[in-house]
Amino acid sequence: MANILKHIKRIAKKAFLAFKGRTRYSVELQLRDAYNSISMNYLDDHKPDEALKYINKAIQLCEKTWGEYNKELAVSFALKARAYELKADYDKALEYYKREMVIRERELGEEHPDTATTYNNMAGVYKAQGDYDKAMEYYKMALEIRERKLGKEHPDTATTYNNMAGVYKARGNYDKALEYYEMALVIRERSLGREHSDTATTYNNMAGIYEEQGRYDKALEYYERALRIKERKLGKEHPDTATTYNNMAGVYKAQGDYDKAMEYYKRALEIRERLLGEKHPDTATTYNNMAGVYRCLRKYDDALDYYIKALKNCEIVLGMNHPDTATAYNNVATVYHARERYEKALEYYKIALEIYERVLGMNHPDTAATYNNMAAVYYDRQAYDTALGYYQKALEICKQMLGNEHPDVATTYSNMAGVYEAQGQYDKALEYYQMAFRIKERVLGGGHPSIATIYNNMAGVYQAKKNYNTALDYYERALKIRRQANHPDVATVYNNMAGVYEAQGQRDKALEYYSKALAICEQDLGEEHPKTKVVRNNLKLVKILGRLEQE
């Protein structure tokens, strides 16, 4: 801290000597710039509280020297807004962006590019709050100014296209998001070049859309493009390179290639721990993601260890009033849920819910997601009415905030269908699965992995109704999609089809499909994985029954 203060005094003295006799306030301006510069470094290191100390010094200096709402305050207000944004205090962030906006509009006019930047930043806060209409309104205001004043081929115009694409993605409008990312890409390739880091960012964002659409090969192709640029321009040891490793790992995880996913997460973790330290939000994100792989492998002790590391990191760095901390509690809850420690799971989900409601509000999509998770616990406890109540809460929020055609709405319909199925209300279950299917087919396409999941679930309902031929038809549809993705869930479909053949008395066919399922599980998950053991037991039981019939 002493070195920082010396740095400030040195800049001030240097400024005084350089500008003595020429500008009355040159020392104050240099001192303000020094405070702002130091605060920027703290913001880059994700230390908003430290940044705020220096931002407040800059604001006090400006107000004392030039009075309130003078033009010299604009940058400091923007930095203060950014600090509160990092703290997830979005109302406070908007307050200071609005104060900056008043100055920008008065001093520069509503058509100035710097005013557009303020609109852009405000839009980002509205997006974080889940107010997508307001976010889009401000992004459009920024876009109109930038297109008029800077031109349609300017990098800042591309940035606005990129940000608008992010809103479309959040709303589940993936085709529109891709369209805007492509517009940003064209501008960036032309104005900045194919090797620029901003071009790499656009490749990365497009890859994220392809991932959401289940187009995993395309996603990896675009992540690879981004990675090559980042490795050449920034180096293999840069935090941005680590982000791409992290993103690629997510695709491998979605494909069920858990070894590859863990390999890439570990690459990201090594870079982030070395460059950013263990107590950084990005490091916590990697802990969370690695835990997710362990959870998929049902290595719950390892999953819990990494989720707890991420949670402690978030509590220390971000505090208890941050959405990422809520997410960390949510993730810990998923492990307790999987272990059937339902009370413990609900305890952690409730903490997550309290944070989301306090920070983001009652009607945010993340709040809805937590209601969904809590409903799943009540479902597993066979408290079906309570589960439906929580799913209904989630559904109402998703419809209100995301629209009737969002994938999250479809997911909630599918979850509610599962409850109706468990209650033996098979027609009601099929009705809700169909509602989920129609949305996902329209938004994601008929070959998306989640469509396969719905086919599989519908097949289970027909199987429960003893409508075996229709059940097999839907399992075949699920299998066709799963085979294309080369996913371990192929084994699940084989196992389920074997169950139908067994119910029909086609024991040879049941043995054939259980054997196929077992071979995949042993290869992809290992011989000791719980899923492998279930399939092996199913196969063993069919063989025993076959021998008993022969005796």
Side-chain angles (χ1 to χ4, degrees):
M1 189 57 66
N3 289 334
I4 292 174
L5 291 174
K6 285 179 183 177
H7 176 65
I8 295 170
K9 290 175 183 177
R10 189 166 59 249
I11 290 175
K13 184 177 179 181
K14 184 178 178 183
F16 178 78
L17 292 173
F19 293 97
K20 185 178 180 182
R22 291 161 63 185
T23 306
R24 179 183 175 189
Y25 297 120
S26 59
V27 174
E28 285 83 354
L29 284 171
Q30 288 293 314
L31 190 56
R32 179 211 61 184
D33 289 345
Y35 287 142
N36 283 340
S37 179
I38 292 167
S39 70
M40 287 179 197
N41 289 331
Y42 278 124
L43 291 175
D44 286 342
D45 290 339
H46 212 289
K47 296 178 178 178
D49 288 325
E50 293 298 319
L52 282 168
K53 294 176 186 177
Y54 288 89
I55 295 166
N56 287 333
K57 287 176 184 287
I59 291 172
Q60 288 167 8
L61 176 66
C62 289
E63 289 179 340
K64 180 180 177 181
T65 307
W66 295 285
E68 291 186 2
Y69 278 94
N70 66 83
K71 64 180 180 179
E72 309 301 343
L73 276 166
V75 172
S76 297
F77 282 155
L79 291 172
K80 193 163 186 176
R82 179 59 185 151
Y84 281 120
E85 201 174 344
L86 288 175
K87 289 167 66 70
D89 190 342
Y90 298 124
D91 290 338
K92 207 76 173 169
L94 281 173
E95 176 191 333
Y96 279 91
Y97 277 135
K98 286 175 181 176
R99 293 175 74 173
E100 181 203 5
M101 181 180 70
V102 169
I103 296 172
R104 297 290 191 203
E105 289 179 341
R106 189 184 64 215
E107 297 292 332
L108 304 173
E110 294 184 3
E111 293 293 301
H112 194 277
D114 287 355
T115 307
T117 298
T118 308
Y119 293 149
N120 185 84
N121 293 340
M122 292 174 70
V125 179
Y126 286 124
K127 178 174 177 283
Q129 289 181 315
D131 191 344
Y132 301 128
D133 290 337
K134 201 77 173 172
M136 194 59 82
E137 176 190 338
Y138 274 77
Y139 279 137
K140 285 179 179 177
M141 288 164 65
L143 182 64
E144 288 170 6
I145 296 169
R146 286 174 168 174
E147 285 184 335
R148 264 197 309 273
K149 295 296 182 178
L150 304 175
K152 293 188 175 182
E153 296 295 306
H154 194 277
D156 287 356
T157 305
T159 297
T160 310
Y161 284 137
N162 186 84
N163 294 340
M164 291 172 76
V167 178
Y168 285 121
K169 179 184 176 184
R171 289 180 128 165
N173 192 339
Y174 300 128
D175 290 338
K176 199 74 175 173
L178 204 54
E179 176 190 334
Y180 273 72
Y181 280 136
E182 286 171 350
M183 290 163 71
L185 181 64
V186 169
I187 297 170
R188 285 174 168 173
E189 285 183 335
R190 203 151 45 216
S191 61
L192 303 173
R194 291 176 178 269
E195 294 293 304
H196 195 277
S197 58
D198 286 356
T199 305
T201 297
T202 311
Y203 285 138
N204 187 84
N205 293 340
M206 293 174 73
I209 297 295
Y210 291 127
E211 186 178 353
E212 291 286 352
Q213 291 177 322
R215 300 164 68 182
Y216 300 129
D217 291 340
K218 197 79 173 171
L220 285 172
E221 176 192 335
Y222 274 72
Y223 280 136
E224 285 282 2
R225 290 185 190 183
L227 182 64
R228 284 194 295 270
I229 296 170
K230 288 180 179 180
E231 286 183 338
R232 276 198 297 268
K233 292 294 181 179
L234 305 173
K236 292 185 177 182
E237 296 295 303
H238 194 276
D240 286 357
T241 307
T243 297
T244 306
Y245 286 140
N246 185 84
N247 294 341
M248 293 175 73
V251 179
Y252 289 122
K253 177 174 175 277
Q255 289 181 313
D257 190 345
Y258 300 126
D259 290 339
K260 198 81 171 172
M262 194 59 80
E263 175 192 335
Y264 275 74
Y265 280 137
K266 285 179 178 177
R267 287 188 195 180
L269 183 64
E270 287 169 8
I271 296 170
R272 286 173 167 174
E273 284 186 332
R274 192 162 50 244
L275 298 181
L276 305 175
E278 290 188 5
K279 301 302 180 187
H280 192 278
D282 289 352
T283 307
T285 296
T286 312
Y287 291 146
N288 260 321
N289 293 340
M290 291 173 73
V293 176
Y294 286 125
R295 185 161 57 87
C296 288
L297 291 168
R298 300 191 187 183
K299 294 182 177 180
Y300 297 130
D301 288 339
D302 291 327
L304 198 56
D305 284 346
Y306 275 83
Y307 278 141
I308 291 292
K309 285 177 77 171
L311 176 59
K312 288 179 179 177
N313 186 321
C314 289
E315 286 179 336
I316 293 169
V317 177
L318 303 174
M320 288 298 294
N321 286 321
H322 198 282
D324 288 357
T325 305
T327 298
Y329 275 109
N330 185 86
N331 291 339
V332 172
T334 64
V335 179
Y336 287 125
H337 184 184
R339 287 179 134 174
E340 300 181 7
R341 294 181 62 183
Y342 299 133
E343 289 300 329
K344 198 75 174 172
L346 285 172
E347 176 190 335
Y348 276 76
Y349 280 137
K350 285 175 181 176
I351 296 173
L353 183 64
E354 287 169 5
I355 298 172
Y356 282 136
E357 288 182 338
R358 189 166 60 242
V359 177
L360 301 176
M362 299 284 287
N363 291 324
H364 194 277
D366 288 350
T367 306
T370 310
Y371 284 137
N372 248 316
N373 292 339
M374 293 174 72
V377 176
Y378 287 116
Y379 168 83
D380 285 337
R381 294 176 71 177
Q382 298 183 2
Y384 298 130
D385 290 339
T386 305
L388 280 173
Y390 276 84
Y391 281 137
Q392 191 63 46
K393 286 183 180 182
L395 183 63
E396 288 168 4
I397 295 170
C398 288
K399 281 183 172 182
Q400 179 184 339
M401 302 304 294
L402 304 173
N404 293 337
E405 294 292 300
H406 194 278
D408 288 358
V409 173
T411 297
T412 309
Y413 281 140
S414 191
N415 292 340
M416 294 175 78
V419 178
Y420 290 126
E421 182 182 354
Q423 290 178 320
Q425 298 187 56
Y426 299 131
D427 291 338
K428 193 82 171 173
L430 286 172
E431 176 191 341
Y432 273 71
Y433 280 135
Q434 285 285 1
M435 289 161 69
F437 172 78
R438 284 193 291 271
I439 295 171
K440 292 208 171 183
E441 187 181 42
R442 275 195 297 270
V443 176
L444 303 174
H448 193 272
S450 64
I451 296 290
T453 300
I454 295 174
Y455 283 146
N456 185 80
N457 293 341
M458 291 176 72
V461 178
Y462 285 117
Q463 186 176 349
K465 294 180 75 172
K466 302 190 187 307
N467 191 340
Y468 298 128
N469 289 333
T470 305
L472 284 172
D473 175 45
Y474 275 84
Y475 281 136
E476 285 285 0
R477 295 184 194 186
L479 188 59
K480 185 178 179 181
I481 297 171
R482 292 295 188 197
R483 276 175 178 159
Q484 289 173 347
N486 193 29
H487 195 278
D489 283 353
V490 169
T492 299
V493 183
Y494 280 141
N495 182 78
N496 293 342
M497 292 176 75
V500 177
Y501 288 125
E502 186 180 355
Q504 289 179 317
Q506 298 186 55
R507 193 152 287 121
D508 290 341
K509 205 75 174 169
L511 285 169
E512 176 191 342
Y513 276 76
Y514 279 136
S515 297
K516 286 182 179 181
L518 183 61
I520 294 170
C521 288
E522 287 180 339
Q523 179 181 329
D524 293 344
L525 303 174
E527 294 190 357
E528 296 304 311
H529 192 276
K531 189 174 178 180
T532 307
K533 291 179 180 179
V534 168
V535 178
R536 188 183 295 119
N537 286 336
N538 290 341
L539 179 61
K540 185 178 180 181
L541 184 60
V542 174
K543 288 180 178 178
I544 291 171
L545 291 173
R547 283 199 299 270
L548 288 174
E549 282 188 357
Q550 290 175 356
E551 290 176 358

